[in-house]
Every structure is written in C-alpha cells, then in structure tokens.
Amino acid sequence: MWNKIAIFIIKNRLRLLILLALLTAFMGYKAKDAEMSYDFANVVSPDDPDMMYFQRFKQTFGEDGNILVVGMQSTKTYKLENFRQLKALSDELATVEGVKAVISLPNLIQVVKDTADRKFTTTPIFDPMPQTQAQLDSMLRVVRNQGFYDGQIINPKTGATLLAVTVDPEFLNSARRVQVMDDVMEHTEAFAKKTGIKLHYAGLPFVRAVMTTKVAAEMKMFLILALLVTGITLFIFFRSFYAVIFPLLMISMVVVWVLGTLAILDYKISLLTGLIPAILVVIGIPNTTYLLTRYHYDYRRHGNKIMALARVISKIGVVNLVTNTTTAIGFIVFTFTHVAILYEFGVVAGINIFVTYIISIVLIPVVFSYLPPPTPRQLRHLDAKPLNKFLEFLDHIVHHKRHLVYFFTIVALLASFWGIYKVKTVSYMVDDLPEESSVNADLAFFEHHFSGVMPLEIIVDTGIKQGVMRLPNLNKLNQLEDFLRTQPILSAPISIVGLVKTATQAFYEGDPGSYRLPDNTERNFVFSYLTKQDGGDNQRLLRSFVDSTGQTARISLKVADAGSRELDTLIISKIKPELRDIYGGEGVTVTEEGNTMTFTRDETGAETKVSLTGTTLLFIKGNEYLINNLRSSLVLAFVLVTIVIALLFKSARVVIISVIPNMIPLLIAGGLMGVFNIPLKPSTALIFSIALGIAIDDSIHFLAKYRSELLSNGFHVSRAITTSLTEAGTSMIYTSIILFFGFVIFAFSEFGGTKALGVLMSVSLLIALFTNLIILPTLLMSFDSGKYKRDPYALIEHYDEFYLEHEDEELDLNQLKLKLQDELPEEVSA
C-alpha cells in the first residue's frame, strides 16, 4: 500500500502542492476569526452540587467576581485638593461604558433617621463637597464612625482606602472587557500623575485582562522562538538552507491550520490552546528530520533523487504515522476528561498532529523533488564523527557495563520516589504570574490592608420566609461574623447584620457606640423604621444581602490568595466546625453535601442550610478536578500507548521492555518536582501524558530498527543492538535535541505553570533519549533472546526505517517516470 502511496504522491506532486496551498489559504481565511478567551473557564462539572449551587447563587445575588479594586495608601489622599481629584475620578469612572457602579470614599453614604416619616433615609456624607481642610477632616471622622465601612472601604489603622468598580457582566466575559480596563486605567493613571499617589490594582476583572493580554503576547513570542530555535537546529544538522526553509514553511502552514481549526470549532484561544502552535512547531519538526535523514541516507547509497524520495514516503511514511499516533495519544486522552478547556486542547492538538503528518509526508518529498539533490557537504552529517564516537561509547556501556546501568537506574528511581513523596498539590487564583509581577505585588497590598480581594460567599437559608430578620437568626449571623473576623486571610464580612447594626446606629443619631444589633426592647422600634424603606439606596443594599423572600442571607467576604491547601484548612478545620457550634447542638442532625451543611431539628424537622460558595471556591475545586482528570488521562495514555506497541510487535516481552524506559523519565520528572518544590497543578500535571506520547517515539524507532537487524544478522542480539544504536541513534538524537530546545523556550514564559511545563518537558524528553539509548538496549541484551516468529500481520514487519538491497524491486520504478528523465535509472528511462 505504501509503495502505491509513494508513487501517487510523486506522480501528482504539482496537483498536491496546489491542493495544499488552497486548503491552507482556506484555513488562513478562517483563522482570522479566532478569538481570545476572556474568562476563567468553568472546569467543574455542571452536575456538581457546588457548581449547581453557585449558579443558583448568581441568579439570586448576581456576579461575585466582577469588581475591580483600586487601592491607595498615602496621607496625600486626605488632602483637600487630592480628595477632590478622587471625587472627580469616581465620577469619570462611573461614565465609562461597561461600568455599572463605583464606590469610593468621596461618594459614601450614611443612614440617617427621618423622625417625621419614621423611616431611615440615605444621604451622601460628602455632599456638599468640603471647601476647607477642616471640613474634610470633620467629614472623614464621620466616615470612621460608620462601622459598616470599617475594613471595607477604609482601613482606619493604616489609612489605606480603595475604590471599587463594578463591571457589567455583559462586558466581563467578552473582548470589550479589555477596552473597559483600558478606559479605567487611563483615568486612574491620570489621577496618579496629578496627585502623585501610587495606585494598586486587583480584582478578577483586572487579573483576567492582564492574563489575556499576556497570553496573546506569549503566543506570538513562543511561535517566533520555536521557529527560530528549530530553524537554527536544522541548519546545524543538515548544513542546508533548503532543509531549514521548507520544514519551517511546512510548520508555518500547520500553525495556520491550528488557528483555522480553533475558529471552525468555535473554540477560544486560552492559556492552553494558545500553546498549541508553538508545541506543534516543536513536535512537528521531527517529522521532517526523519524524512530528510532517510532521504540523505538513501540518496548517498545510490545517487537517485526520485527513487530516494519515493522510498522516504513508502517506508518513513508508516514510521511517522505510528510515531505521530503515539504523540497524538498524549493529547487526545484529554478529550476523555469532559473538562471543556482540556477537551478543546486535546481535540485541536490531536487533529493538527495528524495534519502535520499529512503536510510533511506530502510537502517535503514533493518540494525536494523539484530542488537539486543534496551535495556531499550536506550529506556530511551522516558521518559526524563526534556523534558516532558518542554512540560507540553508549554501545560499549550497553555491552560491558550493564550492572552499572541497572545500579544507577535503581538509585535514580529511589531518589525519584523520595522526591515524588514530597510533591504537594496546591493551586492559587493568580497561579501563573511570576512573584515579581506587579499583579502579585498589588495583590500583596490588598492582602496586607484588606486581607485580600478574592470573592468568597457564605449563604444562610433559614428555611422560613422573613426568617433572616428574626433576632435569633441575626444573632447567629453576628456570632459567625465575629468568628470570621478572627481569621487572618479573610476580610471583614459584610451582610444584613452590618445593615441592621447601621440602622441601630442611625436610630441613636449616629452614635458610634450604637453600631450593634438591637436587643429585644429596641428591635420593634428599629425594625419599624426598616419596614418603611422605599426603593432607595438602603433598600438596594438590603436586597444585595437578603433574597426577595427574606429567607436567605448572604455574608460576602474577600479572601487572600493563600492557596488551595490553606483555604481547605480554613473551611474544613475552622469554618465548618464553627458552623456546627452555632447552628448545631443537641437535637440537631447535621448532614453535608459538598460545601453545603444542613442542620435539621429532630423534633420539628425545621432545616437551616449554610453553604459556602463563590468564584474562588469553584476555581480551586476546578483545579483539583483538573488534576484528578489529568491523572486519569495519564493512565489512559499509558494503556493506549501499550496497545499500539502490542499491535506493532505482537510480543508481551517487547511491550514490557519498551514501557520501562519511558516511565523512568516521568518518575524522575515527578521526583524533580518534589526536590525543587514545584507543586502539582494542572499546568505541571499536563506534561506527563504529553511526554509519554512523545518519548515512546524513540522506543518505536529503536525497536523497529532492532527487529529489522535481527533478521539481517541471524537473530544475533548483540550485533543487532550495535547496528541499531549506530543507525537509529542518529535520528533519535537529532529529534530529541530539537524537542529539548523547542520546549526549553517555554521556560521564558511569565506564567509559572507554562515555565514549569517547558522545563519539565525538556528534562523528561532529554532523559527519555538516554533511557532509550541505554536502558532499552540494556534490557534487550538481558531479557530478549532475539528469536521470534515473523508475523505477516504484525505492523512492525512493514515498519523499517532502513533498506536492504533486495528492497529496490519493491517500487515499480516505471510508474515514477517524470519529466526529469535523467533522474531515473537508465533501465527505467529507456
């Protein structure tokens, strides 16, 4: 079959070139529609109880992660002129398209008692604006007396204050968010320039905008670096500009196909899918390396260009098909996770790995059929003495130092297991940005002055309509808030409790000492004022923290980005036990489902439900969900790769021998993660399946040559291994070097996860090269007899990189007649 394919490609080379160009042009047309992703992907299953609850929460109370905060800590803020500038900034930001509301110090309101109508009303504290510094200082004292704002808008201990910008959800998850952030930044930077006050930025809208911008920039940077690194490496190997230009042309076409695929499938360019073009540049170039190496080898043997190219297709075609299949497996397994971002990553990468194969097997032979044959200088790499000396050294180790190979392998594995034991699983909301990033520096500012800005919500369902406003329930909420204030990574809570305390304070003419819940005597007086609220600011505030039935209350918090481990400890070991103390007790049954606790009174059956939710919890849970799915993907990749090896070789012994050298690099990579304190998170867990799919290629190349040499050498294992190391080892080293330097470029990323992915992938593939050149042949020397029955149905019997002389007759050279008759043997052109 492959001989027919080779003849078809050579005879129809011009038509195929035109077809490839037209298809690539079409994909390029589609690529213009590829869009960036502007949101944190939801990776938790829609059927997950916590996810379902979070969706209900948003329907009731709205988005919790749509606030951009701008912080400042300077005495200049409280100078009259700068305060006026802050007021002007707040008014300007309120006019920005996509901004729903702005809360800042100059536009704070206070609740006052309207004795005539027996109700509470709201009035701006700074209306009219102060005209003197003395007036401003007086009004600032009023703000400090409002307990509701303590720890929310102003930190009275440090003097820090913040400005909160609420972004319209319609703008939040679209390209328009970047424009909103740009407009906001334009106004805030102008304010900072006028006043000399340093500003700090945080909040999910800002973090997402920064990450989206960086993803787009790094996608371009990595693509250029990948092309540059692979181009230089190809030139060093082949000493030919043709061997650089056309492989890079081939891989550039693949990049166009990747972007076109994203657009056609309506997928967005995310942190993961944005890596695919650069990754395919790196893993696609080895296709051309094998093709060109085989072409040069065969041309040097008989000097016939067209025959050499036809042989490249008929033999290396199946070689590259199998290795591309195993590489694709490392990506395709992600489609079984049912996680959207992993599914999209696996689909696009898997499809385009096979696209890479098809383009390379057509474009490279066809283009080189039009080019002059390789010169002696360009063929010199086949006899590279340093490389041959190195392979001879490895052959000596395999034949005479096997005990040392096993000894050092066991030592490396023991050290790896020790390192793996130290690996920690931890995730952060701002996980990938470097420590020195301004985003992290600003985040530290808010964590220091306001205990963080990441949203966390506690929802209490009293089980009774209007039950929230019952004094016993308010007292329990207050008790819970008092506890939450003692937790260093949590901000001051804000809820209906604060509003009722504010109402009590207003009832007593703003007395700071009256910022508390009313007692039984005061309750009727205070609540009688509250029940007469109209649709003003106070009523809107009330509806922000109590649902329309008055049954469910919301406690809104901000949490420091302390990581999933500390957050789990806070919830499981501190908050949930406190909830049991407050809402449990004798005669109360407690049940848990996800992050929801149900407290049922045995005698009445009355239920109170307390749920923890919010973007932060769902994000952390999503990362854990991702890691668990990636572990499953690794197992699936291992199984599928094993099946491919079994189909190729039809030998259980060979399957076991081939898998061992490719598991060792993964174990060593895991050990290095523990030693260097690299946490297990989605970006680092990702590498294991991919590395396995790529690394197994070396085993397949070596074993294919080894089985071929066994037939040629009378099943003499030692001679077969020596020849296999010498001949197959060259292309294995070439491709591994390209892969190493190709993945190393990701170490220059600003995203910690991408950087770790690049380093660990590079190290894993480099180690895989040596395990396949040393441990694999060592295992064959020790455990393979070399004798096997030739199976005409085993794929490996048709899978030979190099030729024997009698194979010349396999190609019907009469079918390869082209216009360039002088390139064919005389007996064919006659």
Side-chain angles (χ1 to χ4, degrees), residues 347-396:
V347 167
V348 176
I351 289 173
N352 285 283
I353 285 171
F354 288 110
V355 168
T356 304
Y357 166 74
I358 293 171
I359 294 178
S360 65
I361 203 65
V362 172
L363 185 68
I364 298 301
V366 167
V367 166
F368 278 84
S369 72
Y370 286 105
L371 297 174
T375 64
R377 176 176 174 273
Q378 294 165 353
L379 298 176
R380 200 178 300 155
H381 70 93
L382 297 174
D383 298 314
K385 290 184 179 180
L387 185 57
N388 290 336
K389 287 289 185 183
F390 176 68
L391 291 171
E392 288 173 9
F393 171 70
L394 296 183
D395 185 61
H396 172 75

Short mmCIF file of all heavy atoms in Angstrom, two decimals, residues 347-396:
data_model
loop_
_atom_site.label_atom_id
_atom_site.label_comp_id
_atom_site.label_asym_id
_atom_site.label_seq_id
_atom_site.Cartn_x
_atom_site.Cartn_y
_atom_site.Cartn_z
N VAL A 347 -8.56 18.07 21.44
CA VAL A 347 -9.12 17.98 20.09
C VAL A 347 -8.26 18.73 19.07
O VAL A 347 -7.87 18.18 18.03
CB VAL A 347 -10.57 18.53 20.06
CG1 VAL A 347 -11.04 18.73 18.62
CG2 VAL A 347 -11.50 17.58 20.78
N VAL A 348 -7.95 19.98 19.36
CA VAL A 348 -7.19 20.81 18.41
C VAL A 348 -5.79 20.26 18.21
O VAL A 348 -5.30 20.16 17.08
CB VAL A 348 -7.15 22.27 18.89
CG1 VAL A 348 -6.27 23.11 17.96
CG2 VAL A 348 -8.55 22.86 18.95
N ALA A 349 -5.12 19.89 19.31
CA ALA A 349 -3.76 19.35 19.19
C ALA A 349 -3.78 18.01 18.46
O ALA A 349 -2.95 17.77 17.57
CB ALA A 349 -3.13 19.20 20.56
N GLY A 350 -4.72 17.13 18.82
CA GLY A 350 -4.78 15.81 18.19
C GLY A 350 -5.03 15.90 16.69
O GLY A 350 -4.34 15.25 15.89
N ILE A 351 -6.00 16.73 16.29
CA ILE A 351 -6.29 16.89 14.87
C ILE A 351 -5.07 17.39 14.12
O ILE A 351 -4.69 16.86 13.06
CB ILE A 351 -7.48 17.86 14.67
CG1 ILE A 351 -8.78 17.22 15.13
CG2 ILE A 351 -7.59 18.29 13.20
CD1 ILE A 351 -9.97 18.16 15.12
N ASN A 352 -4.42 18.38 14.67
CA ASN A 352 -3.34 19.04 13.93
C ASN A 352 -2.02 18.29 13.98
O ASN A 352 -1.12 18.56 13.18
CB ASN A 352 -3.18 20.48 14.42
CG ASN A 352 -4.29 21.37 13.89
OD1 ASN A 352 -4.28 21.77 12.73
ND2 ASN A 352 -5.27 21.65 14.74
N ILE A 353 -1.88 17.34 14.90
CA ILE A 353 -0.72 16.45 14.83
C ILE A 353 -0.82 15.60 13.57
O ILE A 353 0.17 15.39 12.87
CB ILE A 353 -0.63 15.57 16.10
CG1 ILE A 353 -0.11 16.42 17.27
CG2 ILE A 353 0.29 14.37 15.87
CD1 ILE A 353 -0.18 15.72 18.60
N PHE A 354 -2.02 15.11 13.26
CA PHE A 354 -2.19 14.33 12.03
C PHE A 354 -2.14 15.24 10.80
O PHE A 354 -1.68 14.81 9.74
CB PHE A 354 -3.50 13.55 12.09
CG PHE A 354 -3.45 12.39 13.04
CD1 PHE A 354 -4.16 12.42 14.22
CD2 PHE A 354 -2.66 11.29 12.77
CE1 PHE A 354 -4.11 11.37 15.12
CE2 PHE A 354 -2.59 10.22 13.65
CZ PHE A 354 -3.31 10.26 14.83
N VAL A 355 -2.60 16.48 10.93
CA VAL A 355 -2.43 17.44 9.83
C VAL A 355 -0.94 17.66 9.56
O VAL A 355 -0.51 17.70 8.40
CB VAL A 355 -3.12 18.78 10.17
CG1 VAL A 355 -2.71 19.87 9.18
CG2 VAL A 355 -4.64 18.63 10.17
N THR A 356 -0.17 17.77 10.63
CA THR A 356 1.28 17.93 10.49
C THR A 356 1.87 16.75 9.73
O THR A 356 2.73 16.93 8.84
CB THR A 356 1.94 18.03 11.88
OG1 THR A 356 1.36 19.11 12.60
CG2 THR A 356 3.44 18.26 11.75
N TYR A 357 1.43 15.57 10.09
CA TYR A 357 1.93 14.37 9.41
C TYR A 357 1.61 14.40 7.92
O TYR A 357 2.48 14.16 7.08
CB TYR A 357 1.32 13.12 10.04
CG TYR A 357 1.52 11.88 9.21
CD1 TYR A 357 2.76 11.26 9.14
CD2 TYR A 357 0.47 11.35 8.47
CE1 TYR A 357 2.96 10.14 8.36
CE2 TYR A 357 0.65 10.24 7.68
CZ TYR A 357 1.89 9.63 7.63
OH TYR A 357 2.09 8.55 6.84
N ILE A 358 0.37 14.71 7.58
CA ILE A 358 -0.05 14.70 6.17
C ILE A 358 0.70 15.76 5.37
O ILE A 358 1.21 15.50 4.27
CB ILE A 358 -1.58 14.92 6.07
CG1 ILE A 358 -2.33 13.73 6.66
CG2 ILE A 358 -2.00 15.14 4.61
CD1 ILE A 358 -3.82 13.95 6.81
N ILE A 359 0.80 16.98 5.93
CA ILE A 359 1.51 18.04 5.22
C ILE A 359 2.97 17.67 5.03
O ILE A 359 3.55 17.88 3.95
CB ILE A 359 1.37 19.38 5.97
CG1 ILE A 359 -0.08 19.85 5.95
CG2 ILE A 359 2.27 20.44 5.34
CD1 ILE A 359 -0.32 21.14 6.72
N SER A 360 3.61 17.11 6.05
CA SER A 360 5.03 16.79 5.95
C SER A 360 5.28 15.67 4.95
O SER A 360 6.23 15.73 4.16
CB SER A 360 5.59 16.39 7.31
OG SER A 360 5.01 15.19 7.79
N ILE A 361 4.44 14.64 4.95
CA ILE A 361 4.67 13.49 4.07
C ILE A 361 4.41 13.84 2.61
O ILE A 361 4.88 13.17 1.68
CB ILE A 361 3.81 12.29 4.50
CG1 ILE A 361 4.41 10.97 3.99
CG2 ILE A 361 2.38 12.43 4.02
CD1 ILE A 361 5.74 10.64 4.58
N VAL A 362 3.66 14.92 2.38
CA VAL A 362 3.41 15.38 1.01
C VAL A 362 4.38 16.49 0.64
O VAL A 362 5.09 16.42 -0.39
CB VAL A 362 1.96 15.87 0.85
CG1 VAL A 362 1.76 16.53 -0.53
CG2 VAL A 362 0.98 14.72 1.04
N LEU A 363 4.46 17.52 1.45
CA LEU A 363 5.21 18.73 1.08
C LEU A 363 6.71 18.48 0.97
O LEU A 363 7.34 18.90 -0.02
CB LEU A 363 4.94 19.83 2.11
CG LEU A 363 5.57 21.19 1.78
CD1 LEU A 363 4.90 21.81 0.56
CD2 LEU A 363 5.45 22.13 2.98
N ILE A 364 7.31 17.82 1.94
CA ILE A 364 8.77 17.66 1.95
C ILE A 364 9.25 16.84 0.75
O ILE A 364 10.12 17.30 -0.01
CB ILE A 364 9.25 17.06 3.28
CG1 ILE A 364 8.91 17.99 4.44
CG2 ILE A 364 10.75 16.78 3.24
CD1 ILE A 364 9.51 19.38 4.32
N PRO A 365 8.74 15.63 0.50
CA PRO A 365 9.20 14.90 -0.69
C PRO A 365 8.91 15.64 -2.00
O PRO A 365 9.75 15.64 -2.91
CB PRO A 365 8.41 13.58 -0.62
CG PRO A 365 8.06 13.43 0.82
CD PRO A 365 7.80 14.81 1.31
N VAL A 366 7.73 16.27 -2.10
CA VAL A 366 7.38 16.95 -3.35
C VAL A 366 8.29 18.14 -3.59
O VAL A 366 8.83 18.32 -4.69
CB VAL A 366 5.90 17.40 -3.31
CG1 VAL A 366 5.62 18.38 -4.44
CG2 VAL A 366 4.98 16.19 -3.43
N VAL A 367 8.50 18.98 -2.58
CA VAL A 367 9.36 20.15 -2.74
C VAL A 367 10.78 19.73 -3.08
O VAL A 367 11.42 20.30 -3.99
CB VAL A 367 9.33 21.01 -1.46
CG1 VAL A 367 10.46 22.04 -1.48
CG2 VAL A 367 8.00 21.73 -1.34
N PHE A 368 11.31 18.73 -2.39
CA PHE A 368 12.70 18.31 -2.64
C PHE A 368 12.85 17.58 -3.97
O PHE A 368 13.95 17.44 -4.49
CB PHE A 368 13.22 17.47 -1.47
CG PHE A 368 13.70 18.31 -0.32
CD1 PHE A 368 12.81 18.78 0.63
CD2 PHE A 368 15.04 18.65 -0.20
CE1 PHE A 368 13.23 19.57 1.68
CE2 PHE A 368 15.48 19.44 0.85
CZ PHE A 368 14.58 19.92 1.79
N SER A 369 11.72 17.13 -4.53
CA SER A 369 11.81 16.54 -5.87
C SER A 369 12.08 17.61 -6.92
O SER A 369 12.62 17.32 -7.99
CB SER A 369 10.51 15.79 -6.21
OG SER A 369 9.44 16.70 -6.45
N TYR A 370 11.72 18.87 -6.63
CA TYR A 370 11.99 19.97 -7.54
C TYR A 370 13.37 20.59 -7.29
O TYR A 370 13.90 21.29 -8.15
CB TYR A 370 10.93 21.06 -7.38
CG TYR A 370 9.58 20.72 -7.98
CD1 TYR A 370 8.51 20.37 -7.17
CD2 TYR A 370 9.39 20.74 -9.36
CE1 TYR A 370 7.27 20.06 -7.71
CE2 TYR A 370 8.15 20.43 -9.91
CZ TYR A 370 7.10 20.09 -9.08
OH TYR A 370 5.88 19.78 -9.63
N LEU A 371 13.92 20.39 -6.12
CA LEU A 371 15.19 21.01 -5.76
C LEU A 371 16.36 20.16 -6.21
O LEU A 371 16.22 18.96 -6.46
CB LEU A 371 15.26 21.21 -4.23
CG LEU A 371 14.21 22.16 -3.63
CD1 LEU A 371 14.31 22.14 -2.11
CD2 LEU A 371 14.41 23.57 -4.16
N PRO A 372 17.55 20.78 -6.30
CA PRO A 372 18.75 19.99 -6.65
C PRO A 372 19.01 18.93 -5.60
O PRO A 372 18.64 19.10 -4.44
CB PRO A 372 19.87 21.04 -6.67
CG PRO A 372 19.18 22.35 -6.79
CD PRO A 372 17.85 22.20 -6.13
N PRO A 373 19.66 17.82 -5.97
CA PRO A 373 19.97 16.79 -5.00
C PRO A 373 20.97 17.30 -3.96
O PRO A 373 21.67 18.29 -4.20
CB PRO A 373 20.59 15.67 -5.85
CG PRO A 373 21.07 16.35 -7.08
CD PRO A 373 20.13 17.48 -7.33
N PRO A 374 21.04 16.67 -2.79
CA PRO A 374 21.95 17.14 -1.75
C PRO A 374 23.42 17.01 -2.17
O PRO A 374 23.80 16.07 -2.87
CB PRO A 374 21.63 16.22 -0.56
CG PRO A 374 20.98 15.01 -1.15
CD PRO A 374 20.25 15.50 -2.36
N THR A 375 24.22 17.98 -1.74
CA THR A 375 25.65 17.98 -2.06
C THR A 375 26.40 17.13 -1.04
O THR A 375 25.88 16.83 0.04
CB THR A 375 26.19 19.42 -2.01
OG1 THR A 375 26.08 19.90 -0.66
CG2 THR A 375 25.40 20.33 -2.94
N PRO A 376 27.64 16.75 -1.35
CA PRO A 376 28.45 15.98 -0.38
C PRO A 376 28.57 16.70 0.97
O PRO A 376 28.58 16.05 2.02
CB PRO A 376 29.81 15.87 -1.07
CG PRO A 376 29.47 15.91 -2.53
CD PRO A 376 28.34 16.87 -2.65
N ARG A 377 28.66 18.04 0.95
CA ARG A 377 28.76 18.79 2.20
C ARG A 377 27.49 18.62 3.04
O ARG A 377 27.55 18.51 4.26
CB ARG A 377 28.97 20.27 1.89
CG ARG A 377 29.00 21.18 3.13
CD ARG A 377 29.31 22.62 2.73
NE ARG A 377 29.21 23.52 3.88
CZ ARG A 377 28.10 24.10 4.28
NH1 ARG A 377 26.97 23.88 3.61
NH2 ARG A 377 28.09 24.90 5.34
N GLN A 378 26.34 18.57 2.35
CA GLN A 378 25.08 18.43 3.07
C GLN A 378 24.86 17.00 3.58
O GLN A 378 24.04 16.78 4.47
CB GLN A 378 23.92 18.85 2.17
CG GLN A 378 23.93 20.34 1.82
CD GLN A 378 23.02 20.69 0.66
OE1 GLN A 378 22.45 19.81 0.02
NE2 GLN A 378 22.90 21.98 0.36
N LEU A 379 25.59 16.05 3.00
CA LEU A 379 25.47 14.66 3.44
C LEU A 379 26.47 14.32 4.54
O LEU A 379 26.44 13.23 5.10
CB LEU A 379 25.68 13.71 2.26
CG LEU A 379 24.68 13.82 1.11
CD1 LEU A 379 25.08 12.90 -0.02
CD2 LEU A 379 23.28 13.47 1.59
N ARG A 380 27.34 15.28 4.86
CA ARG A 380 28.42 15.02 5.80
C ARG A 380 27.90 14.68 7.19
O ARG A 380 28.56 14.00 7.97
CB ARG A 380 29.35 16.23 5.85
CG ARG A 380 30.75 15.94 6.40
CD ARG A 380 31.61 17.19 6.36
NE ARG A 380 31.73 17.68 4.98
CZ ARG A 380 31.99 18.93 4.65
NH1 ARG A 380 32.13 19.84 5.61
NH2 ARG A 380 32.09 19.30 3.39
N HIS A 381 26.71 15.17 7.52
CA HIS A 381 26.19 14.92 8.86
C HIS A 381 25.96 13.44 9.12
O HIS A 381 25.89 12.99 10.29
CB HIS A 381 24.88 15.69 9.07
CG HIS A 381 23.73 15.16 8.28
ND1 HIS A 381 22.84 14.24 8.77
CD2 HIS A 381 23.31 15.42 6.99
CE1 HIS A 381 21.92 13.96 7.86
NE2 HIS A 381 22.19 14.67 6.77
N LEU A 382 25.81 12.64 8.05
CA LEU A 382 25.61 11.20 8.22
C LEU A 382 26.84 10.51 8.81
O LEU A 382 26.74 9.41 9.35
CB LEU A 382 25.24 10.56 6.88
CG LEU A 382 23.92 11.04 6.24
CD1 LEU A 382 23.75 10.43 4.86
CD2 LEU A 382 22.73 10.71 7.13
N ASP A 383 27.98 11.17 8.66
CA ASP A 383 29.24 10.59 9.17
C ASP A 383 29.84 11.46 10.26
O ASP A 383 31.06 11.53 10.40
CB ASP A 383 30.26 10.44 8.03
CG ASP A 383 29.76 9.49 6.95
OD1 ASP A 383 29.26 8.42 7.32
OD2 ASP A 383 29.86 9.85 5.76
N ALA A 384 29.00 12.13 11.02
CA ALA A 384 29.50 13.00 12.07
C ALA A 384 30.30 12.18 13.08
O ALA A 384 29.74 11.35 13.81
CB ALA A 384 28.34 13.72 12.75
N LYS A 385 31.62 12.41 13.12
CA LYS A 385 32.49 11.59 13.97
C LYS A 385 32.18 11.75 15.46
O LYS A 385 32.14 10.74 16.17
CB LYS A 385 33.95 11.92 13.68
CG LYS A 385 34.41 11.44 12.30
CD LYS A 385 35.89 11.70 12.07
CE LYS A 385 36.32 11.18 10.69
NZ LYS A 385 37.77 11.41 10.44
N PRO A 386 32.00 12.97 15.96
CA PRO A 386 31.70 13.07 17.40
C PRO A 386 30.43 12.31 17.79
O PRO A 386 30.38 11.65 18.83
CB PRO A 386 31.52 14.58 17.61
CG PRO A 386 32.28 15.21 16.50
CD PRO A 386 32.12 14.29 15.34
N LEU A 387 29.42 12.39 16.91
CA LEU A 387 28.17 11.69 17.19
C LEU A 387 28.38 10.18 17.15
O LEU A 387 27.90 9.44 18.02
CB LEU A 387 27.11 12.11 16.17
CG LEU A 387 25.70 11.56 16.39
CD1 LEU A 387 25.18 11.97 17.77
CD2 LEU A 387 24.76 12.07 15.30
N ASN A 388 29.13 9.72 16.16
CA ASN A 388 29.39 8.29 16.06
C ASN A 388 30.21 7.78 17.24
O ASN A 388 29.99 6.68 17.74
CB ASN A 388 30.12 7.97 14.75
CG ASN A 388 29.20 8.14 13.55
OD1 ASN A 388 27.98 8.05 13.68
ND2 ASN A 388 29.78 8.41 12.38
N LYS A 389 31.20 8.60 17.68
CA LYS A 389 32.01 8.22 18.84
C LYS A 389 31.12 8.11 20.09
O LYS A 389 31.30 7.20 20.92
CB LYS A 389 33.09 9.27 19.08
CG LYS A 389 34.23 9.23 18.06
CD LYS A 389 35.10 7.99 18.26
CE LYS A 389 36.30 8.02 17.31
NZ LYS A 389 37.11 6.78 17.45
N PHE A 390 30.19 9.05 20.21
CA PHE A 390 29.29 9.03 21.35
C PHE A 390 28.42 7.77 21.33
O PHE A 390 28.23 7.12 22.37
CB PHE A 390 28.41 10.28 21.33
CG PHE A 390 27.37 10.33 22.41
CD1 PHE A 390 27.74 10.48 23.74
CD2 PHE A 390 26.02 10.21 22.11
CE1 PHE A 390 26.78 10.51 24.75
CE2 PHE A 390 25.07 10.25 23.11
CZ PHE A 390 25.45 10.40 24.43
N LEU A 391 27.90 7.41 20.16
CA LEU A 391 27.08 6.22 20.05
C LEU A 391 27.89 4.96 20.30
O LEU A 391 27.39 3.99 20.90
CB LEU A 391 26.42 6.17 18.66
CG LEU A 391 25.35 7.24 18.41
CD1 LEU A 391 24.91 7.25 16.96
CD2 LEU A 391 24.14 7.02 19.33
N GLU A 392 29.15 4.96 19.87
CA GLU A 392 30.03 3.82 20.16
C GLU A 392 30.25 3.68 21.67
O GLU A 392 30.32 2.56 22.20
CB GLU A 392 31.37 4.00 19.45
CG GLU A 392 31.28 3.81 17.93
CD GLU A 392 32.59 4.15 17.23
OE1 GLU A 392 33.61 4.37 17.95
OE2 GLU A 392 32.61 4.20 15.99
N PHE A 393 30.37 4.84 22.36
CA PHE A 393 30.54 4.83 23.80
C PHE A 393 29.31 4.23 24.49
O PHE A 393 29.42 3.41 25.40
CB PHE A 393 30.79 6.25 24.30
CG PHE A 393 30.77 6.40 25.79
CD1 PHE A 393 31.78 5.86 26.57
CD2 PHE A 393 29.72 7.06 26.42
CE1 PHE A 393 31.76 5.97 27.95
CE2 PHE A 393 29.69 7.20 27.80
CZ PHE A 393 30.71 6.64 28.57
N LEU A 394 28.12 4.61 24.01
CA LEU A 394 26.90 4.05 24.57
C LEU A 394 26.82 2.55 24.30
O LEU A 394 26.37 1.78 25.17
CB LEU A 394 25.67 4.76 23.98
CG LEU A 394 25.51 6.25 24.29
CD1 LEU A 394 24.21 6.78 23.68
CD2 LEU A 394 25.53 6.52 25.78
N ASP A 395 27.25 2.14 23.12
CA ASP A 395 27.25 0.72 22.78
C ASP A 395 28.17 -0.06 23.72
O ASP A 395 27.84 -1.18 24.15
CB ASP A 395 27.69 0.55 21.33
CG ASP A 395 27.60 -0.90 20.87
OD1 ASP A 395 26.47 -1.44 20.88
OD2 ASP A 395 28.65 -1.47 20.51
N HIS A 396 29.30 0.55 24.05
CA HIS A 396 30.24 -0.09 24.98
C HIS A 396 29.59 -0.25 26.36
O HIS A 396 29.71 -1.31 27.00
CB HIS A 396 31.51 0.75 25.10
CG HIS A 396 32.45 0.28 26.16
ND1 HIS A 396 33.24 -0.84 26.00
CD2 HIS A 396 32.70 0.77 27.42
CE1 HIS A 396 33.95 -1.03 27.10
NE2 HIS A 396 33.65 -0.06 27.98
#
